[in-house]
């Protein structure tokens, strides 16, 4: 390869005779006509998962949170582990959309819509766990600070769990606005390609009458930048506040100042892994290989190896600070993590989150679809173990 060739970036769209018209036809194709068999198979798996979720949540609410094993003092962590895990996954969409938009990274365009949608569903999942954790979900309104006639009964503003309510509701609102405002031109395009008048009307309403004029695009660009500017600090603040659930306590293993950056890096790490898991399936099912390319996958794997390395440094820093502090209880908390009853979770976490992502230093592995899919699932298992280890072993 010559010096001149090496400066040419890999194209973000593959295929022959690529035009704007062909791109539009390929992307909109799945909204018209009967979906292919691959789509029905993937949809069936999704519906089975949804039914399992409905059954599990309904059973939990009907029987009470004792079904989570709350007769054991460390098992209350089951829901908090899942809560933190889902919040973390919800970070990738906003990061891909907002931060990469501000940095003018073109490769975000192939995956940002799907990542934003994943963010919204992940935050919805996360928000349910603190409500169910209350034990009586129908009394969830007690955690919202609104004028009431109940006398002096107000929420506890000193509680990090209340901070979660504000952080997650704000994050959810901005993410929904960012996601939907970005979809308006897409709905307008689908409306123009729709075959029936009924579909045209529905998509026209959804697109708010989008016409694609120069003024509309100018305002769309301004709105995107404003929302990106709002979303970027939210990416950092939401998981920082979630980390305060632990960092503001005095339990050994939790009471540490490294948690905010450590949780944020872990959130981006797990979020990008989940985007890869879902997008690789969608890429295959919807035949989008020309639009979600190997270059997109490689770029995401680069983010994963960087954030995975940051998480690994955070683990080592925790161990060092516990040793250097000379505080017996803190030292024992970390010794118990590595060699106690839950050592299987600790070493599972270390192997999934620290050791395995290092394979992406090899370019051939970064560009391998099978390895990427396997690693994306592996990383999210490891990140669930991380939250489990932090919460359970400290209580244990």
């Amino acid at each position: 390869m010559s010096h001149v060739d090496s400066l040419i970036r890999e194209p973000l769209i593959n295929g022959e005779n690529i035009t704007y018209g062909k791109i539009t036809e390929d992307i909109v194709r799945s909204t018209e006509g009967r979906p292919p068999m691959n789509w029905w198979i993937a949809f069936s798996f999704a519906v089975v998962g949804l039914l399992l979720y409905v059954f599990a949540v309904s059973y939990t609410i009907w029987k009470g949170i004792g079904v989570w094993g709350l007769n054991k003092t460390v098992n209350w962590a089951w829901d908090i582990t899942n809560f933190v895990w889902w919040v973390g996954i919800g970070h990738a969409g906003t990061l891909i959309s907002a931060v990469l938009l501000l940095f003018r990274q073109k490769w975000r365009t192939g995956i940002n819509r799907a990542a934003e949608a994943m963010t919204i569903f992940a935050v919805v999942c996360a928000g349910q766990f603190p409500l169910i954790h209350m034990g009586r979900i129908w009394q969830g309104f007690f955690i919202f600070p609104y004028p009431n006639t109940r006398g002096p009964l107000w929420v506890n503003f000193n509680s990090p769990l209340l901070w979660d309510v504000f952080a997650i509701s704000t994050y959810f609102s901005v993410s929904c606005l960012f996601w939907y405002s970005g979809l308006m031109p897409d709905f307008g395009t689908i409306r123009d390609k729709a075959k029936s008048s009924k579909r045209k009307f529905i998509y026209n309403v959804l697109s708010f009458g989008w016409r694609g004029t120069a003024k509309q695009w100018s305002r769309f660009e301004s709105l995107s930048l404003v929302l990106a500017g709002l979303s970027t600090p939210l990416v950092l603040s939401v998981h920082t506040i979630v980390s305060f659930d632990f960092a503001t306590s005095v339990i050994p293993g939790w009471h540490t100042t490294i948690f905010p950056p450590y949780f944020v890096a872990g959130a981006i790490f797990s979020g990008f892994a989940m985007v890869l898991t879902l997008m690789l399936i969608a890429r295959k099912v919807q035949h989008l290989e020309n639009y979600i390319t190997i270059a997109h996958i490689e770029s995401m794997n680069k983010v994963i190896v960087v954030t995975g390395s940051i998480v690994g440094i955070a683990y080592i820093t925790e161990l060092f600070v516990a040793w250097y502090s000379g505080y017996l209880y803190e030292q024992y908390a970390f010794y118990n993590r590595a060699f106690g009853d839950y050592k299987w979770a600790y070493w599972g976490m270390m192997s999934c989150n620290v050791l395995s992502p290092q394979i992406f230093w090899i370019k051939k592995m970064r560009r391998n679809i099978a390895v990427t899919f396997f690693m994306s699932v592996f990383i999210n298992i490891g990140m669930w173990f991380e939250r489990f280890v932090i919460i359970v072993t400290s209580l244990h």
Side-chain angles (χ1 to χ4, degrees), residues 11-26 289-291 293:
L12 292 175
I13 297 176
N14 293 331
E16 298 177 358
N17 303 319
I18 291 293
T19 63
Y20 286 119
K22 186 176 187 306
I23 294 170
T24 302
E25 290 292 340
D26 289 346
E289 288 85 355
N290 287 339
Y291 303 106
T293 65

Side-chain angles (χ1 to χ4, degrees), residues 50-286:
L50 176 64
L51 293 174
L52 178 62
Y53 151 79
V54 170
F55 167 76
V57 171
S58 301
Y59 183 78
T60 302
I61 293 170
W62 181 260
K63 300 291 285 187
I65 52 176
V67 299
W68 282 340
L70 289 176
N71 56 325
K72 296 181 180 178
T73 54
V74 296
N75 272 16
W76 75 276
W78 173 257
D79 60 318
I80 302 300
T81 299
N82 287 305
F83 163 67
V84 180
W85 188 74
W86 277 114
V87 173
I89 284 172
H91 275 54
T94 307
L95 182 96
I96 289 170
S97 292
V99 179
L100 298 184
L101 172 66
L102 293 174
F103 283 98
R104 301 295 184 187
Q105 294 297 305
K106 296 287 195 294
W107 62 268
R108 64 179 278 279
T109 55
I111 53 176
N112 65 323
R113 291 286 172 266
E116 289 164 19
M118 185 207 71
T119 285
I120 291 165
F121 287 110
V123 173
V124 168
C125 290
Q128 295 173 51
F129 283 99
L131 287 170
I132 299 173
H133 171 67
M134 297 173 71
R136 294 171 176 81
I137 195 170
W138 50 91
Q139 294 187 353
F141 63 88
F142 275 97
I143 63 175
F144 295 103
Y146 61 93
N148 60 76
T149 57
R150 300 196 300 271
L153 182 61
W154 275 86
V155 291
N156 180 11
F157 286 100
N158 293 323
S159 169
L161 281 172
L162 182 67
W163 308 343
D164 287 339
V165 172
F166 285 101
I168 292 171
S169 58
T170 305
Y171 185 61
F172 178 73
S173 303
V174 174
S175 295
C176 281
L177 192 58
F178 200 5
W179 169 72
Y180 196 87
S181 64
L183 281 176
M184 286 193 292
D186 303 340
F187 283 136
T189 301
I190 297 171
R191 173 204 61 209
D192 295 340
K193 296 291 181 180
K195 294 182 173 66
S196 70
S197 58
K198 182 180 177 181
R199 291 171 67 85
K200 283 182 181 293
F201 174 76
I202 292 170
Y203 282 117
N204 190 53
V205 171
L206 291 173
S207 69
F208 287 90
W210 177 269
R211 288 285 173 259
T213 63
K215 182 177 284 189
Q216 284 182 334
W217 277 113
S218 174
R219 290 176 175 172
F220 176 81
E221 178 75 10
S222 299
L223 177 65
S224 297
L225 289 173
V226 169
L227 289 175
L230 284 172
S231 301
T232 302
L234 280 175
V235 173
L236 303 176
S237 68
V238 172
H239 226 51
T240 297
I241 289 171
V242 170
S243 76
F244 289 165
D245 292 351
F246 312 103
T248 55
S249 75
V250 293
I251 295 176
W254 288 3
H255 187 64
T256 172
T257 54
I258 199 176
F259 267 12
Y262 162 20
F263 269 47
V264 170
I268 296 166
F269 181 54
S270 61
F272 266 76
M274 183 60 81
V275 171
L276 275 171
T277 302
L278 298 176
M279 291 305 297
L280 289 175
I281 295 171
R283 179 179 186 265
K284 186 69 176 175
V285 170
Q286 302 278 29

